[in-house]
């Protein structure tokens, strides 16, 4: 079973936090995530499929997009 845990750490405590989590026997990987990094697997698969030409984008006008956002 996997758990993802969001922990906010001050810049001066990053190395302490990484060492702390690495020393817990059941923690396999510790990785800092940038604020703008995409971590949702569904979105990452969608981007990958588009880049490999497996899917084509759906044409959408700006008016249609605004209507969808305001629905």
């Amino acid at each position: 079973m996997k758990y993802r845990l969001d922990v906010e750490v001050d810049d001066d405590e990053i190395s302490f936090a990484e060492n702390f989590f690495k020393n817990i026997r059941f923690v396999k990987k510790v990785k800092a995530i940038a604020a703008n990094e995409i971590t949702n697997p569904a979105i990452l698969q969608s981007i990958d499929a588009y880049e490999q030409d497996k899917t084509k984008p759906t044409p959408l006008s700006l008016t249609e997009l605004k209507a969808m956002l305001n629905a």
Side-chain angles (χ1 to χ4, degrees), residues 27-62:
V27 174
K28 302 293 183 204
K29 181 169 59 170
V30 176
K31 177 182 150 186
I33 299 173
N36 62 348
E37 184 175 346
I38 298 171
T39 58
N40 185 326
I43 294 173
L44 291 171
Q45 287 175 350
S46 174
I47 292 170
D48 188 45
Y50 173 75
E51 289 176 346
Q52 295 180 8
D53 288 331
K54 293 179 181 176
T55 59
K56 299 293 179 194
T58 304
L60 189 65
S61 71
L62 186 57

Side-chain angles (χ1 to χ4, degrees), residues 10-21:
D10 291 332
D11 290 340
D12 58 334
E13 296 175 343
I14 290 174
S15 97
F16 168 77
E18 286 179 352
N19 288 330
F20 173 78
F21 287 114

